[in-house]
Amino acid sequence: MEIRPFTIAVPQPDLDDLKDRLARTRWPDELPDVGWTRGVPLEPLRELAAYWGEGYDWRAAEAGLNALPQFTTDLDGQRIHFAHVRSERPDALPLMLTHGYPSAFAEFTQLIELLRRDFHLVVPSLPGFGFSTPVRQSGWALGRTARAWAELMRRLGYDRYGVHGGDVGAGVSGAVAGLDGEHVAGVHVVTDPVTAAATATFLPGMAERLDPADPVDRLALDRMAEFRTADSGYLAIQNSRPQTMGYLLNDSPAGQLGWILESFERWTDLPYDRDQFLTIVSLYWFTGSGVSAARFLYEQAHSTDWGAPPAVPQGYSVFGADPTVRRLLEPAPGTYWAEHERGRHFPAMEDPESLAADLRAFFADLK
């Protein structure tokens, strides 16, 4: 039951080791003129690695994160790290923000500043991510995490609260709403065409109910096919052999950097802050959580515990919107639905203002 104050304090030898490893990276060659078609190109990664080692200021990022009140507590035998930012308004609605993969609680720093007047914010690190480590037991997937999240909100004294997330965080948030509907005011998630296509790819029978002769359905099927051929490689590895991949992620900062950079470059279409991105990568590196984060995806891929469907008000914010998203997700009547032409998988970094406005609008009548 204990909630312990937490301060990030990366030892200086760890910073020195990162700089040394980056400087000694053994870079591969590459084929000419293939661009991003075969993965992260050499020069962009070398330039970013050089900046990470020589220009990026971790101590400034660390101080910025430590400006957020942070804590740890034990839930179901697992240490869980979270930020807890209380509004000055006593009637503010508590709101839990859950990140996805490959990300961290630091994804929400801009969003926190935009929302901290309107909500009491609870921002946990998923089990196996960042400072919610080490993981000593198997079985940490959506359902178990949702039960831990509901207990965390109870432990903090919140009887009524909202939940929000994207990617894995959307699944966890939906599971929390299904599990703890008596206390959850509403669940809001973000998505985009690629995420919707990825979700549909894993739903039994989805392809069969789409009509190739219909233009929207045809586009949805094309997006599902593109995900299977161009975007699902990381899932194939982490859903089957996360421990093997973990040796690379834990030993090579350039490898960890490239692994995360590919997702950000493929799944964004608006500029995001380079230093904030490197803060996320640094959290993976300094906590050695590349392998345990990968194992979270393995656990879910081999789990039947997806939680109950939510029976509370639901809201979607679609970034990079096109007609395929509504067709694939089929929102129920009365669902809050907001579409944004730009932004994609990481809207808390790409377009935090629009996301904050949607969250205020969705939860305005649910307090």
Side-chain angles (χ1 to χ4, degrees):
M1 295 292 292
E2 181 185 11
I3 294 177
R4 303 172 293 270
F6 179 82
T7 300
I8 303 172
V10 173
Q12 186 59 42
D14 289 1
L15 291 173
D16 297 337
D17 177 66
L18 170 62
K19 183 175 180 179
D20 179 63
R21 286 171 182 263
L22 287 169
R24 292 187 297 107
T25 300
R26 182 177 156 185
W27 296 103
D29 65 1
E30 66 176 349
L31 292 173
D33 304 321
V34 297
W36 287 80
T37 61
R38 304 191 183 199
V40 179
L42 178 60
E43 283 310 309
L45 188 59
R46 290 186 67 158
E47 291 174 7
L48 189 58
Y51 177 71
W52 191 15
E54 301 293 339
Y56 168 74
D57 188 347
W58 165 256
R59 291 302 185 201
E62 186 179 71
L65 293 176
N66 282 332
L68 302 173
Q70 294 172 66
F71 306 87
T72 62
T73 192
D74 296 326
L75 295 164
D76 194 10
Q78 174 63 41
R79 182 174 86 154
I80 296 297
H81 160 266
F82 62 98
H84 186 196
V85 182
R86 290 188 60 86
S87 170
E88 296 178 356
R89 297 173 49 186
D91 64 338
L93 178 72
L95 176 62
M96 176 176 271
L97 309 175
T98 303
H99 66 84
Y101 183 88
S103 193
F105 85 106
E107 176 186 347
F108 294 121
T109 52
Q110 298 171 77
L111 192 63
I112 289 170
E113 290 305 310
L114 292 168
L115 294 177
R116 62 188 306 164
R117 289 185 65 256
D118 303 294
F119 299 92
H120 302 307
L121 297 167
V122 179
V123 190
S125 298
L126 287 166
F129 291 70
F131 300 104
S132 291
T133 48
V135 177
R136 303 296 190 192
Q137 298 176 326
S138 61
W140 279 102
L142 297 187
R144 189 172 181 179
T145 303
R147 290 187 287 274
W149 272 201
E151 168 59 19
L152 175 59
M153 296 304 275
R154 186 201 66 79
R155 194 171 293 183
L156 293 172
Y158 292 136
D159 292 327
R160 183 171 173 80
Y161 60 94
V163 288
H164 161 81
D167 189 72
V168 172
V172 171
S173 297
V176 173
L179 169 75
D180 198 29
E182 180 182 354
H183 300 107
V184 174
V187 53
H188 180 274
V189 301
V190 294
T191 191
D192 61 86
V194 172
T195 304
T199 302
T201 299
F202 295 105
L203 292 177
M206 173 61 77
E208 288 72 16
R209 75 173 180 81
L210 296 176
D211 180 5
D214 180 90
V216 174
D217 284 7
R218 178 71 263 166
L219 180 58
L221 288 167
D222 290 345
R223 290 196 183 281
M224 292 166 64
E226 182 181 8
F227 173 80
R228 287 191 295 269
T229 57
D231 287 297
S232 63
Y234 79 100
L235 276 178
I237 295 173
Q238 295 183 161
N239 288 353
S240 59
R241 295 293 184 268
Q243 190 66 29
T244 304
M245 189 66 195
Y247 301 114
L248 165 66
L249 300 178
N250 202 62
D251 191 61
S252 170
Q256 179 70 84
L257 179 63
W259 194 248
I260 296 179
L261 177 63
E262 178 160 27
S263 295
F264 269 75
E265 285 300 301
R266 285 194 62 82
W267 299 342
T268 59
D269 73 347
L270 287 175
Y272 54 87
D273 185 84
R274 179 172 63 168
D275 282 9
Q276 186 181 9
F277 167 77
L278 287 174
T279 297
I280 291 172
V281 179
S282 297
L283 287 170
Y284 278 83
W285 178 256
F286 290 132
T287 61
S289 57
V291 62
S292 54
R295 284 199 299 259
F296 190 99
L297 302 185
Y298 177 95
E299 296 287 354
Q300 190 55 52
H302 295 80
S303 174
T304 58
D305 185 6
W306 290 79
V312 301
Q314 299 179 49
Y316 288 87
S317 289
V318 184
F319 287 83
D322 70 26
T324 66
V325 180
R326 182 180 284 272
R327 184 69 59 87
L328 291 171
L329 298 183
E330 293 188 321
T335 298
Y336 175 89
W337 188 269
E339 294 190 355
H340 304 276
E341 182 178 351
R342 301 295 306 278
R344 287 178 66 189
H345 196 69
F346 302 96
M349 294 174 63
E350 296 177 82
D351 190 1
E353 292 83 6
S354 294
L355 178 53
D358 287 353
L359 286 166
R360 292 192 198 98
F362 174 65
F363 286 107
D365 298 325
L366 302 179
K367 294 182 179 181

